[in-house]
Amino acid sequence: MADFLYVIVKMIAVIHDMIMTWNDSFETVFSDKELHFLVIGILGMGMLFVIYPLFKLLSENHVLVIAWIYVFTVIIVIVFAIEIGQGITGTGTMDFDDIVAGVAGFMAMFLVFVVVRAAVLGLFRLIRSMFGGGRRKNDDYYDY
């Protein structure tokens, strides 16, 4: 795990050094903070321009997908934070396999949730169709 983090840190350092050369291209010299402001701002806006239309499209019928993407992202941050914290404090071993196991645990439990949810929704639809209940306007609320 430590080796993996060192590779990531090294990649970030190389990118950082490349970005610092931007100062050679401009008359004004940007400080490190100003470059962080610009680069992260541009990166964030670029991601927003890609993700916003995707989420807008998904929000019409697939809110569960949006929720999954959000939770998955938070889980990745949490498991990395736990492993980095263990490495820094010495309270455990910093191991990439722990990250994989944690994410796999979320994926497995989410898969169980999806199967149970599909069964329950299918059962409700079957019962409703048997008793002539058809779909109502607010049924989409439960379809995510």
Side-chain angles (χ1 to χ4, degrees):
M1 175 66 177
D3 294 336
F4 174 74
L5 289 175
Y6 286 125
V7 168
I8 298 294
V9 168
K10 181 66 175 168
M11 287 175 27
I12 292 171
V14 168
I15 293 168
H16 184 269
D17 290 342
M18 288 173 28
I19 291 171
M20 289 299 287
T21 64
W22 290 0
N23 280 330
D24 301 337
S25 305
F26 301 108
E27 290 180 19
T28 307
V29 176
F30 292 106
S31 71
D32 185 54
K33 301 294 180 261
E34 291 168 331
L35 282 173
H36 278 270
F37 178 87
L38 290 172
V39 170
I40 300 302
I42 292 168
L43 179 65
M45 290 309 297
M47 291 171 63
L48 182 68
F49 291 141
V50 171
I51 292 172
Y52 176 74
L54 175 66
F55 277 26
K56 187 165 178 66
L57 178 70
L58 289 172
S59 70
E60 293 173 10
N61 296 310
H62 305 287
V63 176
L64 183 58
V65 174
I66 295 171
W68 181 87
I69 292 169
Y70 176 79
V71 171
F72 182 79
T73 304
V74 171
I75 289 295
I76 294 292
V77 170
I78 288 171
V79 295
F80 267 96
I82 289 170
E83 292 305 311
I84 291 168
Q86 286 180 349
I88 291 171
T89 63
T91 56
T93 57
M94 193 167 48
D95 189 6
F96 188 73
D97 291 340
D98 290 349
I99 291 172
V100 172
V103 172
F106 167 67
M107 297 295 288
M109 291 180 195
F110 181 77
L111 183 61
V112 169
F113 165 75
V114 167
V115 169
V116 169
R117 179 181 174 273
V120 169
L121 288 176
L123 181 62
F124 283 145
R125 287 183 183 137
L126 177 66
I127 292 169
R128 198 176 308 128
S129 69
M130 288 174 56
F131 294 104
R135 291 184 64 95
R136 294 180 302 241
K137 183 178 179 181
N138 291 334
D139 285 349
D140 290 339
Y141 174 78
Y142 298 102
D143 289 339
Y144 299 104

